[in-house]
């Protein structure tokens, strides 16, 4: 680009900016008019929020927020917080008619706190919170009502399967170029405007025997009309629900309970079957497995072949299913012992405890620390990412019937018993006080305003009530700086077991083998395919763990615009066009035999604790945020740390090791939001890559 074209592009960009301003102003005016009409409708004596919501294209909660007089009596009086869904499992959606479907680390530095640093207190009474106040977390009821939660769901347990998964004929399609790869054959398709109907027609034209799974490697056809919709999700829903002559939405078959479309902004799943039910096919995004960076469909196919070969070394009956989470859970069930302990399976917790864990056990720590807690001008930005992090924390998991440990019981224990409990597999309801001399990052998650939102208080003297896993509580008590004050209110304690150890070891071996292939392979395409396959193994473990959390089912459906009164009253409107209203509603927990949120919660807690402090026994040293100087930690992003100073933490290419991922020299303006952080992150990764390439 020369100076003339550069200046011309700037002029075009300014025009786009001005158009955005005009469009935003028009949208604001329309929204104000909509809210005014809602207020007018609310003056009618018989006005109902469930009638107004679909007409306005809002959820019930949004309508009630604009017109409080429309709140149903049950909503106006019930302040009991409900369990929130987990962050990672794949929800299931279906168009009208609705078809529901399922979807610890090494010891930190320091000694265990003395018994006088542990306290017992009465559980706080939940009070209604304002919109700007942290949400209230649920607690276990007192007495027999709460004790009844500590059991398993009757006749529901994870057991070893007695069947072999069926393979699906799979093709890889680039919808930008029309290149289709099927086994060792390459075809060039005319996809027209890239609707689902045109993709199905083109694929089945060149492959008369058809395909059961179509992976889109590039093109994102579900975003083709994104300019017509305010949100990506709306554009995706419209693409999924567009007419497909000769096909209709799949309703499942045989053992496969997957049915309907999965509406996701980036990685949706379209499921169709012939009108005569002779063929079933899924259209999925390759992004579920790994990120492609301009790789062609043939490289994606080679990655899947290498992945399957690596898994077959450990599982004779390994089959790659549609998503990493499905594959991960299926492979895990094939490690359940056939005899001996746990041969009868792993029972599923009561629905009450599962709901509690969903509401109180978050996943990754995502936090941006801004001035004045850090400098406004940063000397540099250094990114460290924990390699294959969750694989580090699968060696021990909760098993058996959980026990309730009340605050009084915990306080009555000896120091040795308390230490053993916090080293064990537990989930604790605690009141936390930040030490008066504290000058580093926060250690424990606290509920913040908004669904599933968490923050990490670090201001000296701050007191808050929360739930946390044993690894985090132990870290707060024995961190290398200053012990925090922890008051135990209640707790859940399991026996220690290894239900995931064999599964994770096999995946780690497959990952190590593929990583080595990527490093030593002389053929560039095969080296790239091996790297992508190693990333797919990571996804299998990561999303497999997330699928154990088993979020409450969310069902999506559509209703004609002229029949908006038929939208279920408890549904949330998620999109609409001239013909259809798209909505979703929760339907509670399914009887999923592989629902084990206690396993996901324990792993997530261990991973968050390791972001703070992690011991490397072989090197006799520690790594983590607490081993960086105060004021040098800029951000946490799940498995990554962003600092203003480089560290000498060991990296031996083992799960959990901190890998230097990016390094950007300053001075730099401290990021004020996630977008600015990601911009600096990408620049730092590019800068480090150039430095390493030069070296």
């Amino acid at each position: 680009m020369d100076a003339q074209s550069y200046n011309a592009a700037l002029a075009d960009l300014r025009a786009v900016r001005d158009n955005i301003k005009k469009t935003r102003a028009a949208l604001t005016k329309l929204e104000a008019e909509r809210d005014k009409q809602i207020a007018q409708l609310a003056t009618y004596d018989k006005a109902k929020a469930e009638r107004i919501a679909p007409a306005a294209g809002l959820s019930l909660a949004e309508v009630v927020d604009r017109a409080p007089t429309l709140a149903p009596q049950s909503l106006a009086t019930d302040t009991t917080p409900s369990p929130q869904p987990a962050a990672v499992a794949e929800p299931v959606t279906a168009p009208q008619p609705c078809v529901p479907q399922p979807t610890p680390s090494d010891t930190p530095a320091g000694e265990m706190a003395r018994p006088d640093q542990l306290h017992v207190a009465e559980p706080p009474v939940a009070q209604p919170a304002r919109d700007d106040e942290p949400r209230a977390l649920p607690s276990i009821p007192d007495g027999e009502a709460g004790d009844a939660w500590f059991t398993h769901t009757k006749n529901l347990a994870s057991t070893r399967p007695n069947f072999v998964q069926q393979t699906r004929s799979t093709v890889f399609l680039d919808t930008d170029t029309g290149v289709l790869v099927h086994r060792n054959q390459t075809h060039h398709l005319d996809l027209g405007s890239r609707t689902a109907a045109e993709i199905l027609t083109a694929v089945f034209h060149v492959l008369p025997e058809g395909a059961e799974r179509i992976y889109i490697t590039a093109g994102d056809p579900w975003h083709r009309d994104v300019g017509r919709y305010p949100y990506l999700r709306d554009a995706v829903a419209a693409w999924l629900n567009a007419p497909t002559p000769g096909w209709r939405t799949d309703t499942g078959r045989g053992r496969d309970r997957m049915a309907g479309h999965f509406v996701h902004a980036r990685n949706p799943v379209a499921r169709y079957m012939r009108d005569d039910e002779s063929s079933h096919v899924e259209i999925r995004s390759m992004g579920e497995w790994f990120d492609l960076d301009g790789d062609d469909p043939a490289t994606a196919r080679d990655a899947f072949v290498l992945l399957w070969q690596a898994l077959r070394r450990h599982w004779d009956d390994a089959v790659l299913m549609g998503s990493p989470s499905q594959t991960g859970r299926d492979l895990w069930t094939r490690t359940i012992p056939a005899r001996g302990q746990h041969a009868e399976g792993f029972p599923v917790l009561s629905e009450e405890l599962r709901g509690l864990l969903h509401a109180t056990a978050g996943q990754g720590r995502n936090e941006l620390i801004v001035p004045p807690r850090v400098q406004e001008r940063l000397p540099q930005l250094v990114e460290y990412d924990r390699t294959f992090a969750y694989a580090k924390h699968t060696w021990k998991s909760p098993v058996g019937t959980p026990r309730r440990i009340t605050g009084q019981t915990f306080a009555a224990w000896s120091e040795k018993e308390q230490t053993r409990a916090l080293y064990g597999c537990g989930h604790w309801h605690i009141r936390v006080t930040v030490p008066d001399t504290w000058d580093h990052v926060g250690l424990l998650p606290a509920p913040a305003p908004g669904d599933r939102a968490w923050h990490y208080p670090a201001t000296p003297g701050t007191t808050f009530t929360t739930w946390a896993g044993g690894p985090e509580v132990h870290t707060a008590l024995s961190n290398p700086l200053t012990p925090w004050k922890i008051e135990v209110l209640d707790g859940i304690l399991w026996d220690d077991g290894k239900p995931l150890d064999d599964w994770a070891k096999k995946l780690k071996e497959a990952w190590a083998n593929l990583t080595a292939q990527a490093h030593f392979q002389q053929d560039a395409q095969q080296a790239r395919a091996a790297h992508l396959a190693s990333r797919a193994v990571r996804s299998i473990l990561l999303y497999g763990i997330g699928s154990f959390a088993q979020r409450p089912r969310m069902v999506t459906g559509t209703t004609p615009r002229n029949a908006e009164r038929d939208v279920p009253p408890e549904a949330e409107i998620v999109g609409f066009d001239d013909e259809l209203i798209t909505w979703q509603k929760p339907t509670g927990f399914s009887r999923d035999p592989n629902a084990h949120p206690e396993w996901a919660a324990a792993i997530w807690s261990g991973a968050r604790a390791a972001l703070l402090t992690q011991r490397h026994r072989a090197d006799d040293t520690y790594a983590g945020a607490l081993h960086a100087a105060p004021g040098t930690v800029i951000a946490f992003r799940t498995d990554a740390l962003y600092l203003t100073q480089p560290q000498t933490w060991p990296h031996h290419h083992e799960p959990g090791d901190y890998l230097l991922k990016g390094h950007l020299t300053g001075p730099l303006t401290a990021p004020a939001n996630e977008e600015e952080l990601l911009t600096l992150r990408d620049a730092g990764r590019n800068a480090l890559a150039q430095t390493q390439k030069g070296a």
Side-chain angles (χ1 to χ4, degrees):
M1 177 179 287
D2 55 22
Q4 183 177 0
S5 58
Y6 176 76
N7 291 327
L10 281 178
D12 292 340
L13 183 60
R14 294 188 189 100
V16 172
R17 175 200 63 194
D18 293 340
N19 287 334
I20 290 174
K21 288 182 178 179
K22 293 177 182 178
T23 303
R24 186 175 290 127
L27 177 61
T28 301
K29 184 177 180 181
L30 287 171
E31 289 176 338
E33 177 62 25
R34 176 199 62 195
D35 294 346
K36 180 180 178 181
Q37 292 187 25
I38 290 174
Q40 292 175 343
L41 289 168
T43 61
Y44 177 51
D45 292 342
K46 297 182 180 180
K48 294 183 180 295
E50 56 265 31
R51 291 291 307 281
I52 296 175
L58 299 173
S59 67
L60 285 175
E62 290 170 325
V63 169
V64 171
D65 183 58
R66 290 160 174 76
T69 57
L70 295 175
Q73 187 64 25
S74 59
L75 293 180
T77 58
D78 183 8
T79 60
T80 303
S82 60
Q84 302 295 328
V88 176
E90 179 181 342
V92 178
T93 62
Q96 180 69 16
C98 292
V99 183
Q101 71 175 70
T103 129
S105 65
D106 287 329
T107 307
E111 297 298 323
M112 182 64 191
R114 300 185 309 273
D116 60 2
Q117 292 170 332
L118 294 170
H119 303 268
V120 58
E122 293 300 320
V125 178
Q127 298 293 335
R130 301 193 309 268
D131 290 342
D132 59 345
E133 288 184 341
R135 70 190 187 283
L137 295 178
S139 58
I140 303 171
D142 293 330
E144 294 182 359
D147 295 341
W149 291 16
F150 288 77
T151 184
H152 292 111
T153 301
K154 190 175 181 180
N155 299 324
L156 190 64
S158 305
T159 56
R160 190 183 184 94
N162 57 5
F163 64 93
V164 177
Q165 290 288 355
Q166 296 298 307
T167 59
R168 301 287 178 87
S169 59
T170 302
V171 300
F172 303 86
L173 174 64
D174 183 332
T175 59
D176 279 338
T177 63
V179 173
L180 174 78
V181 172
H182 175 233
R183 297 176 182 169
N184 294 322
Q185 299 177 340
T186 300
H187 305 271
H188 295 270
L189 310 184
D190 180 2
L191 300 177
S193 57
R194 301 184 300 159
T195 64
E198 289 168 312
I199 290 174
L200 292 173
T201 298
V203 170
F204 278 75
H205 176 72
V206 299
L207 300 176
E209 73 278 13
E212 295 175 281
R213 190 170 290 139
I214 302 171
Y215 280 114
I216 305 300
T217 62
D220 296 342
W222 36 81
H223 292 162
R224 70 188 188 98
D225 290 331
V226 68
R228 296 173 51 193
Y229 298 91
Y231 302 105
L232 277 178
R233 187 183 177 90
D234 293 343
V236 171
W239 187 87
L240 293 172
N241 292 317
T244 50
W247 298 83
R248 53 191 171 93
T249 303
D250 203 341
T251 55
R253 51 177 167 152
R255 295 181 183 273
D256 189 355
R257 292 177 294 172
M258 304 303 285
H261 302 315
F262 172 39
V263 182
H264 186 278
R266 303 282 179 188
N267 298 315
V269 181
R271 300 185 178 100
Y272 302 99
M273 64 180 179
R274 292 274 194 191
D275 286 340
D276 60 6
E277 302 186 14
S278 60
S279 299
H280 299 255
V281 62
E282 290 181 331
I283 301 177
R284 309 188 72 114
S285 168
M286 200 79 261
E288 293 183 82
W289 290 88
F290 40 68
D291 291 329
L292 290 168
D293 186 14
D295 300 290
D296 59 23
T299 303
R301 174 207 55 199
D302 291 346
F304 261 55
V305 171
L306 291 174
L307 172 63
W308 178 79
Q309 291 173 344
L311 295 176
R312 276 284 173 137
R313 295 188 181 98
H314 302 285
W315 286 276
D316 292 339
D317 52 357
V319 171
L320 297 182
M321 303 181 69
S323 70
S325 62
Q326 294 170 327
T327 305
R329 287 216 301 186
D330 181 69
L331 292 177
W332 172 76
T333 62
R334 298 173 193 279
T335 65
I336 296 175
R339 59 180 63 88
Q341 188 181 19
H342 304 303
E344 295 183 359
F346 295 92
V348 173
L349 292 177
S350 68
E351 187 166 331
E352 292 82 3
L353 280 186
R354 280 182 280 156
L356 179 72
L357 287 167
H358 280 296
T360 60
Q363 190 184 355
R365 177 170 181 170
N366 289 283
E367 179 185 23
L368 176 63
I369 302 172
V370 298
R373 290 180 59 191
V374 297
Q375 304 173 46
E376 292 193 5
R377 298 289 288 173
L378 309 180
Q380 54 192 322
L381 186 70
V382 189
E383 178 189 7
Y384 289 94
D385 185 72
R386 295 187 67 225
T387 301
F388 204 13
Y390 286 178
K392 174 78 171 179
H393 306 286
T394 55
W395 66 278
K396 182 175 73 172
S397 301
V399 295
T401 303
R403 292 176 288 152
R404 182 177 190 175
I405 309 300
T406 65
Q408 290 85 352
T409 299
F410 189 89
W413 281 351
S414 66
E415 178 183 356
K416 183 177 180 180
E417 290 173 316
Q418 292 176 345
T419 302
R420 186 185 300 115
L422 293 180
Y423 267 122
C425 297
H427 193 58
W428 302 95
H429 194 194
I430 53 178
R431 183 179 293 125
V432 184
T433 300
V434 183
D436 292 336
T437 58
W438 191 256
D439 65 349
H440 218 297
V441 298
L443 303 186
L444 290 165
D451 290 349
R452 302 289 302 171
W454 301 89
H455 65 147
Y456 293 79
T459 304
T462 301
T463 297
F464 59 94
T465 300
T466 190
W467 284 84
E472 293 169 284
V473 176
H474 184 267
T475 297
L477 289 167
S478 61
N479 72 80
L481 303 178
T482 303
W484 282 31
K485 179 182 177 182
I486 306 293
E487 302 177 72
V488 175
L489 308 177
D490 215 338
I492 310 169
L493 188 62
W494 290 266
D495 294 334
D496 296 350
K498 294 181 176 292
L500 304 177
D501 192 45
D502 184 37
W503 172 72
K505 282 181 178 177
K506 291 178 177 180
L507 290 176
K508 284 186 282 189
E509 289 179 15
W511 170 79
N513 178 272
L514 290 165
T515 301
Q517 286 188 56
H519 181 73
F520 293 109
Q521 174 62 250
Q522 297 299 311
D523 183 276
Q525 178 171 329
Q526 287 300 302
R528 176 62 178 171
H531 170 73
L532 294 176
S534 72
R535 300 298 293 173
V537 174
R538 175 186 177 275
S539 296
I540 288 172
L541 185 135
L542 174 67
Y543 296 117
I545 290 169
S547 70
F548 286 125
Q550 193 231 8
R551 64 191 295 177
R553 291 184 302 172
M554 188 70 71
V555 174
T556 297
T558 58
T559 300
R561 283 293 295 266
N562 59 5
E564 59 191 41
R565 68 173 61 233
D566 295 333
V567 174
E570 68 276 20
E572 176 187 4
I573 306 298
V574 296
F576 57 91
D577 55 26
D578 293 338
E579 297 181 357
L580 296 173
I581 299 170
T582 304
W583 48 264
Q584 66 180 17
K585 67 173 183 175
T587 60
F589 291 100
S590 66
R591 284 185 58 83
D592 184 350
N594 295 321
H596 294 285
E598 69 276 18
W599 297 349
I603 292 169
W604 295 339
S605 178
R608 290 193 299 268
L611 279 177
L612 299 170
T613 179
Q614 172 178 280
R615 183 180 180 186
H616 291 262
R617 293 182 184 275
D619 301 276
D620 192 25
T621 189
Y622 293 88
L626 294 181
H627 303 282
T632 63
V633 180
I634 299 301
F636 298 83
R637 278 185 62 80
T638 309
D639 302 327
L641 276 176
Y642 297 83
L643 310 173
T644 62
Q645 294 178 359
Q647 306 295 321
T648 57
W649 298 334
H651 185 269
H652 303 300
H653 304 280
E654 294 293 329
D657 288 356
Y658 280 90
L659 172 67
L660 177 62
K661 200 76 171 289
H663 191 172
L664 187 63
T665 56
L668 309 164
T669 301
N673 52 52
E674 183 182 41
E675 182 179 0
E676 293 179 5
L677 173 66
L678 296 181
T679 299
L680 292 177
R681 179 201 67 180
D682 294 342
R685 290 181 178 180
N686 290 333
L688 180 64
Q690 292 300 317
T691 300
Q692 293 172 336
K693 183 178 180 181

